[in-house]
Amino acid sequence: YKVERVQALKIVIRLIEISPKDIPRSMVQSMVLIMSRPKDDLRRVCLDRVRELAFLNPKIVASSNGIHAMVEAILDKTCADMAGQLTMTLLYLFDQEHTRRHIRPAIHIQHMLSVFTDTETPETQEKEQRRVASHKALMIIMRSWTGIFILASDQQGLKSLVEILSLPSTVKGSSWSKDAVFMLLLNIL
């Protein structure tokens, strides 16, 4: 079973190399499905290949929910070493006019910001790891003009980060959020 999966993935990779514009959507969806399973052995290979395909054929990656899967991988501790590359890929897609129309920057950025604005979820180790990953990704995003533009143009982007600072200290989880926003601002300045 595992050997067949590897061989099938090699065929998909070869198709991406030969003609990324002609790759069937079902093959991309299969890779995205593998990307969304944290314990899959082929996850990292699929993440890297879908990230590569996002440069060559962003339309098919977006229509296969690959952008959302990349955002989830950015926030996942098992992909911490790839998070910077994935974040830079998103910034590239946000920056280029011909790729921007295939993705929804407000939704994907808001997903990363939700870690800061979520004060209801109980404190767990997973939540802390998502906080660290989101903090690093937002630092990369805010160090670029494209990232600042995307955050500022969204009604819930930069505004929601600044509004965190006005939360009363009685709100559960607000102290971490305030500290994280201050550290984020200090690190980018």
Side-chain angles (χ1 to χ4, degrees):
Y1 172 70
K2 191 173 183 176
V3 175
E4 288 88 357
R5 291 180 73 214
V6 171
Q7 291 302 319
L9 187 57
K10 286 181 179 180
I11 291 171
V12 173
I13 291 169
R14 187 68 179 138
L15 282 172
I16 292 171
E17 291 171 356
I18 293 172
S19 181
K21 297 289 183 196
D22 297 326
I23 188 164
R25 186 169 183 251
S26 59
M27 290 185 176
V28 178
Q29 286 175 323
S30 297
M31 288 195 306
V32 170
L33 179 65
I34 293 170
M35 285 169 49
S36 64
R37 295 184 175 167
K39 295 184 180 183
D40 198 308
D41 294 338
L42 300 176
R43 181 182 191 203
R44 298 174 68 77
V45 175
C46 288
L47 257 172
D48 195 43
R49 293 305 170 172
V50 170
R51 186 183 70 82
E52 177 185 325
L53 186 60
F55 292 109
L56 305 170
N57 191 350
K59 183 178 181 179
I60 198 161
V61 172
S63 68
S64 301
N65 210 21
I67 306 297
H68 178 75
M70 281 196 280
V71 171
E72 279 297 322
I74 289 169
L75 299 176
D76 187 359
K77 68 174 182 168
T78 60
C79 299
D81 59 325
M82 295 180 75
Q85 296 171 339
L86 294 168
T87 305
M88 293 301 287
T89 301
L90 288 178
L91 280 174
Y92 173 82
L93 296 174
F94 294 157
D95 191 41
Q96 304 299 313
E97 186 177 344
H98 68 281
T99 59
R100 191 180 315 126
R101 67 175 169 240
H102 301 298
I103 58 178
R104 300 171 299 198
I107 292 172
H108 303 303
I109 295 293
Q110 192 60 36
H111 189 66
M112 285 187 229
L113 291 175
S114 68
V115 176
F116 289 92
T117 58
D118 178 20
T119 58
E120 298 298 319
T121 307
E123 299 293 323
T124 62
Q125 184 178 3
E126 180 185 346
K127 183 176 180 179
E128 183 59 32
Q129 291 165 343
R130 288 178 72 84
R131 285 175 169 174
V132 170
S134 179
H135 188 269
K136 288 179 182 177
L138 283 173
M139 198 173 344
I140 292 170
I141 289 169
M142 290 182 77
R143 285 183 174 162
S144 72
W145 284 111
T146 303
I148 291 173
F149 179 74
I150 294 295
L151 282 170
S153 64
D154 179 22
Q155 292 285 343
Q156 301 300 317
L158 200 54
K159 182 180 177 185
S160 65
L161 279 178
V162 173
E163 285 177 350
I164 288 172
L165 300 175
S166 67
L167 286 174
S169 57
T170 57
V171 175
K172 185 177 100 182
S174 66
S175 62
W176 176 87
S177 296
K178 287 180 182 181
D179 290 345
V181 170
F182 278 127
M183 289 305 295
L184 186 65
L185 293 173
L186 284 173
N187 286 333
I188 62 167
L189 297 176

